Amino acid sequence: MGTQGSENSRATVKVQAGTVQRPAKTPRRVHPAKKLQPPAVITGDGPETGQRDGLSKKRLQKVLKAFGEYPSKYRMFVWRSLLCLPENHCAFSSLMQKGVHPAFVTLHERYPIKSPKLQRGLQRVLSALAHWSAIFGETDYLPLVAFPFVKLFQNNPLICFEVVATVIVNWCQHWFEYFPNPPLNVLSMVENVLAHHDKSLLQHFVNCGITSQMYAWPLLETLFSEVLTQDEWLRLFDNIFSNHPSFLLMAVVAYIACCRAPLLQLTLREDFEELRSEAVRQQAEDEAWYVQQELLQQAEEQRRRILQQEEEKLTEQRARLAAMKRELKVKELQMVDAARRRFLKHQQDQRKIQLRRLDDEIQRKMALRDQETAAAVQDVEVRQMELDAQRHVFEQQLTKEQERVNQGVTAEIDTWRRRAELDETTFQNLLQSDTDLSQETKRVLEASLTEAEQLDADLQWKTEVLKRLEKADAEQQKHHQHLAELNRETRAKEEELVHIMMKMEDKKVRGYNNLS
């Protein structure tokens, strides 16, 4: 509570005239006086008795006398100490739980206030006072009394309620003896004090028909809040709370005495009533101003609602635009993805076409190779057949020639053998014949020798022919070996080509797997 009171002391409070508008005053009828039973005092000690927290009232009065006011930083704490506030949270909570009092439901119509927060705070405090004592619900000037304190303690409703209640009980306790009429007894005391200090001014009031209800009561029922500035009002209540309750009446007389010069210039009652009408007019203007401000506020709220609706529409539009952007972005991504897929498919198709072309080329080359191989094989086979045919022909010719030669050789050998046998026989016969025949024998022997030499030459030629045949067979065998070597080389090339084709087929399969 002490911390909140210190914070409240720094609040700027404006309690000048026009802050709370009093209702237009109409001539009152004098009602029968009601006997007011003052409510029980909520403070443990009177404001002029014992102090809490070790603060001495005499020491505070010395400070006040020296400086004319209490330090603004500690003013709220000093006031709470001087008033001995009980800070009864339970009692205040029970009053607040009763809600708004019926007498103050339409408070905003009778006492319009600019700030809704202050309006609600004043309504809560007045309702709590009315629930605390029923007479406060019928007191017309109670909002004027409570408003300065509500504005000063707007952040601490408990302290505000207890300050207002303490002020009413201790400084306004005799105001209700003639209720609902003004407190004539209190006003009579003001007249007596004024008569004691300024008889001429009081006599001027009497001569003009001006009563204390016109010059004193407006100051009391507003607690000077309509005639003093904020700082002046705070300094005044520094002194009121530090002195006897009668100090408030002395302050009223002092204020009137200070204004005696302009008051003495007013010679007619109508002049004072011109003042009253001016106040009424000012009140009407203020009420019109408040109505205008309320209309402006309503228009502002309407424009704010329209602006809020436009902002909501703009937000929705932005959300729709964002959604459209997201949708366009998604479509763009889908198009990009579709284009990428088409490009990949095109690449795959191109690769498949290339692979098919390669396959076709490989197949064509394989077919060409097979054709060439088949043609080569056929050529080799034809050549082999030709060679075989030539070999057979040559072998047949060789055999025939060999047979012919053999037959000729055999015939010649037989002939030669026969001749040799004949020659041997002849030679034997010649040996046995006459020596006269030696010349003839010699000639025959020479002829036989020549023939034998010829036979030997023929035998050598036949031997050379056989050697040549054997050489031809060797060359033919060598040619056959060369053909076999060519056949082996062809087969090796075929195997290498098959191996290359298998490698290409393996690469093609791996390429298909990579593409898939």
Side-chain angles (χ1 to χ4, degrees):
M1 287 298 179
T3 304
Q4 294 178 354
S6 298
E7 294 177 355
N8 293 335
S9 64
R10 294 190 292 269
T12 58
V13 183
K14 184 176 181 181
V15 292
Q16 296 179 355
T19 304
V20 179
Q21 299 299 324
R22 292 188 294 176
K25 291 187 178 180
T26 58
R28 292 187 176 180
R29 295 181 300 172
V30 179
H31 297 279
K34 293 183 180 179
K35 185 63 176 178
L36 173 64
Q37 295 294 336
V41 179
I42 62 174
T43 57
D45 297 324
E48 65 273 10
T49 59
Q51 304 297 319
R52 294 182 300 177
D53 301 328
L55 293 178
S56 172
K57 187 175 181 180
K58 292 182 179 180
R59 294 179 60 185
L60 292 174
Q61 287 176 344
K62 291 181 180 180
V63 174
L64 183 62
K65 185 176 181 180
F67 297 98
E69 62 178 337
Y70 292 124
S72 59
K73 184 177 181 181
Y74 303 102
R75 175 175 282 120
M76 299 300 104
F77 176 73
V78 172
W79 283 14
R80 291 165 61 185
S81 178
L82 289 172
L83 298 177
C84 297
L85 300 181
E87 299 184 16
N88 193 337
H89 293 273
C90 295
F92 180 70
S93 298
S94 64
L95 294 175
M96 293 298 294
Q97 290 175 359
K98 295 180 180 180
V100 179
H101 194 273
F104 302 107
V105 174
T106 60
L107 180 65
H108 62 282
E109 297 178 358
R110 293 179 293 163
Y111 299 95
I113 303 176
K114 296 180 182 179
S115 174
K117 181 179 179 182
L118 289 178
Q119 186 78 53
R120 292 191 299 269
L122 179 62
Q123 189 179 42
R124 285 196 299 266
V125 171
L126 295 178
S127 298
L129 290 171
H131 290 308
W132 182 49
S133 180
I135 194 172
F136 295 137
E138 302 177 8
T139 306
D140 295 336
Y141 56 85
L142 187 60
L144 301 175
V145 174
F147 178 75
F149 299 103
V150 171
K151 193 168 185 179
L152 189 62
F153 297 98
Q154 56 181 321
N155 295 324
N156 197 331
L158 170 63
I159 299 299
C160 179
F161 169 78
E162 291 186 350
V163 168
V164 174
T166 304
V167 169
I168 293 174
V169 170
N170 293 278
W171 280 269
C172 308
Q173 59 180 337
H174 299 293
W175 291 13
F176 303 94
E177 294 181 1
Y178 294 89
F179 186 82
N181 297 318
L184 300 179
N185 54 340
V186 176
L187 297 177
S188 298
M189 296 172 61
V190 173
E191 288 184 355
N192 293 334
V193 175
L194 181 60
H196 179 74
H197 292 281
D198 198 339
K199 293 182 179 180
S200 60
L201 181 57
L202 179 59
Q203 187 62 42
H204 175 70
F205 288 152
V206 173
N207 294 335
C208 295
I210 305 303
T211 63
S212 58
Q213 296 184 28
M214 297 181 64
Y215 64 82
W217 179 235
L219 298 175
L220 289 174
E221 66 179 353
T222 61
L223 296 181
F224 293 88
S225 62
E226 293 186 358
V227 296
L228 298 179
T229 63
Q230 173 188 351
D231 294 335
E232 292 173 347
W233 189 87
L234 292 173
R235 286 196 293 268
L236 173 62
F237 271 84
D238 285 342
N239 289 273
I240 291 175
F241 290 155
S242 301
N243 292 281
H244 191 272
S246 61
F247 185 87
L248 178 60
L249 303 181
M250 302 301 109
V252 173
V253 175
Y255 184 83
I256 295 172
C258 291
C259 300
R260 68 188 309 273
L263 291 175
L264 290 174
Q265 294 179 359
L266 300 177
T267 57
L268 299 176
R269 178 184 177 89
E270 288 77 9
D271 296 335
F272 289 93
E273 294 176 352
E274 289 171 4
L275 291 176
R276 183 177 300 174
S277 62
E278 180 66 20
V280 173
R281 186 187 63 79
Q282 183 67 31
Q283 179 183 1
E285 291 180 356
D286 292 340
E287 290 180 356
W289 183 83
Y290 283 119
V291 172
Q292 183 181 6
Q293 292 298 318
E294 185 176 359
L295 293 175
L296 291 175
Q297 185 176 3
Q298 292 177 358
E300 183 181 359
E301 291 178 356
Q302 184 178 2
R303 289 185 176 86
R304 188 179 293 109
R305 287 195 297 270
I306 294 173
L307 181 60
Q308 184 177 3
Q309 292 175 359
E310 293 297 328
E311 289 179 353
E312 292 176 355
K313 291 181 181 178
L314 182 60
T315 303
E316 293 177 358
Q317 185 177 4
R318 288 177 178 174
R320 288 196 297 270
L321 289 175
M324 292 176 63
K325 288 182 179 179
R326 289 194 296 271
E327 186 176 359
L328 290 175
K329 189 65 176 179
V330 170
K331 289 183 179 179
E332 182 181 358
L333 292 176
Q334 291 177 354
M335 292 177 63
V336 171
D337 185 67
R340 184 180 62 82
R341 290 179 182 275
R342 287 198 300 271
F343 179 73
L344 291 177
K345 186 175 182 302
H346 177 71
Q347 284 187 338
Q348 292 178 357
D349 295 339
Q350 293 295 325
R351 290 179 180 178
K352 288 180 180 178
I353 292 172
Q354 292 178 358
L355 289 175
R356 284 198 295 270
R357 289 177 180 175
L358 290 175
D359 291 339
D360 295 339
E361 185 70 18
I362 291 171
Q363 294 294 333
R364 187 180 65 79
K365 289 184 178 181
M366 289 177 64
L368 182 61
R369 180 185 60 79
D370 293 338
Q371 292 177 0
E372 291 178 353
T373 303
V377 170
Q378 290 178 359
D379 293 339
V380 170
E381 290 178 353
V382 171
R383 183 64 178 168
Q384 185 69 29
M385 291 173 64
E386 291 178 353
L387 291 175
D388 290 340
Q390 290 179 1
R391 184 175 59 81
H392 289 306
V393 171
F394 184 75
E395 287 178 353
Q396 289 177 359
Q397 291 178 356
L398 185 62
T399 302
K400 288 179 181 180
E401 185 67 21
Q402 188 175 1
E403 288 179 357
R404 186 182 62 80
V405 171
N406 290 333
Q407 290 178 359
V409 171
T410 303
E412 289 179 357
I413 291 173
D414 292 338
T415 302
W416 179 79
R417 186 180 295 111
R418 284 190 303 271
R419 286 179 180 177
E421 290 177 356
L422 181 58
D423 289 337
E424 183 68 24
T425 301
T426 301
F427 179 71
Q428 291 294 334
N429 292 325
L430 287 177
L431 288 177
Q432 293 176 3
S433 66
D434 194 41
T435 54
D436 293 332
L437 296 174
S438 59
Q439 291 295 326
E440 184 68 20
T441 303
K442 185 178 179 178
R443 184 185 59 81
V444 172
L445 290 173
E446 290 178 354
S448 297
L449 181 61
T450 302
E451 187 177 2
E453 290 177 357
Q454 183 65 36
L455 289 175
D456 185 49
D458 292 336
L459 182 63
Q460 289 179 357
W461 179 81
K462 291 180 180 179
T463 303
E464 183 68 21
V465 170
L466 290 176
K467 288 181 179 180
R468 290 183 176 179
L469 289 176
E470 290 178 357
K471 185 178 180 180
D473 291 336
E475 290 180 354
Q476 187 177 6
Q477 186 67 25
K478 185 177 180 180
H479 182 68
H480 288 172
Q481 291 178 356
H482 180 68
L483 291 178
E485 185 68 23
L486 290 177
N487 191 14
R488 285 194 298 273
E489 290 179 358
T490 303
R491 289 183 179 179
K493 289 182 179 180
E494 289 179 356
E495 291 178 357
E496 183 179 0
L497 182 60
V498 171
H499 183 65
I500 292 172
M501 290 176 63
M502 291 179 65
K503 285 185 177 180
M504 293 181 66
E505 186 69 22
D506 188 20
K507 290 182 180 180
K508 180 171 69 176
V509 171
R510 287 200 297 271
Y512 287 154
N513 293 331
N514 293 330
L515 290 177
S516 61

